[in-house]
Amino acid sequence: MKKQTGFLVLLLMLLALILAACGTKEDNTTGGQPPDSPEEETPGTTDESSGGIVAGALIPNLEPLDDNTYRYTLTNQTEEIKTFSFTSGQRIDVSLSDESGSQVFLMSSTAMFTQALGEETVKQGEELSYEFDIPELDLAPGTYKVEAWLTPKEGQDFKAESEYTVE
């Protein structure tokens, strides 16, 4: 009899635990995204938070300044302030590829960055701008593709490209 009573008590406790677990609900209003995280933008899409249309987009650009120096720029042409979170001091990465598409240089594989969290905020109509030098490399003469992109924790990378010529 004591065995049956002990079993019945254990069964009732298990049933109470299952019922209590069924009533818990996790609030997932951000759709799996951390709050205030940058979102990918597509021109002409609806902005659910304001009910309006997002005008423009975030526009990346890569321009040569001289033989080995380039400037990567990301311009905010939306109607919103954009904030990007970073997991280190690195804000952009750069690659150099030959005419066959083989990568001959990647900045992040040769550079060291501080291990500190950071943020960059771009207001409407403003831009982020980063200059970098392509180091002296033992490259054959030809035309190479330079690609630069933003390295945020989440969201798009906003890749831009240009040419690099070795004579």
Side-chain angles (χ1 to χ4, degrees), residues 23-35:
T24 60
K25 178 182 174 188
E26 190 173 314
D27 185 19
N28 192 13
T29 58
T30 60
Q33 296 274 341

Side-chain angles (χ1 to χ4, degrees), residues 19 26 122:
L19 290 175
E26 190 173 314
V122 191

Side-chain angles (χ1 to χ4, degrees), residues 39-118:
E39 298 175 9
E40 294 184 25
E41 290 293 332
T42 306
T45 60
T46 5
D47 179 10
E48 295 176 8
S49 63
S50 67
I53 301 293
V54 176
L58 292 165
I59 308 295
N61 187 42
L62 183 60
E63 63 179 324
L65 299 178
D66 60 37
D67 289 343
N68 291 332
T69 305
Y70 286 77
R71 178 184 298 134
Y72 173 83
T73 306
L74 183 64
T75 305
N76 183 358
Q77 294 183 348
T78 70
E79 296 175 348
E80 301 174 344
I81 296 173
K82 297 295 180 180
T83 301
F84 298 96
S85 298
F86 297 90
T87 58
S88 71
Q90 181 182 14
R91 297 299 188 252
I92 63 168
D93 206 352
V94 176
S95 72
L96 191 61
S97 302
D98 62 17
E99 292 173 343
S100 70
S102 298
Q103 189 177 78
V104 296
F105 172 73
L106 180 64
M107 181 176 73
S108 60
S109 66
T110 62
M112 295 179 67
F113 302 97
T114 59
Q115 296 301 306
L117 299 176

Side-chain angles (χ1 to χ4, degrees), residues 60 72 147-150 157-161:
Y72 173 83
E147 289 183 298
W149 59 92
L150 202 63
D157 57 8
F158 303 102
K159 198 173 276 193
E161 63 182 62

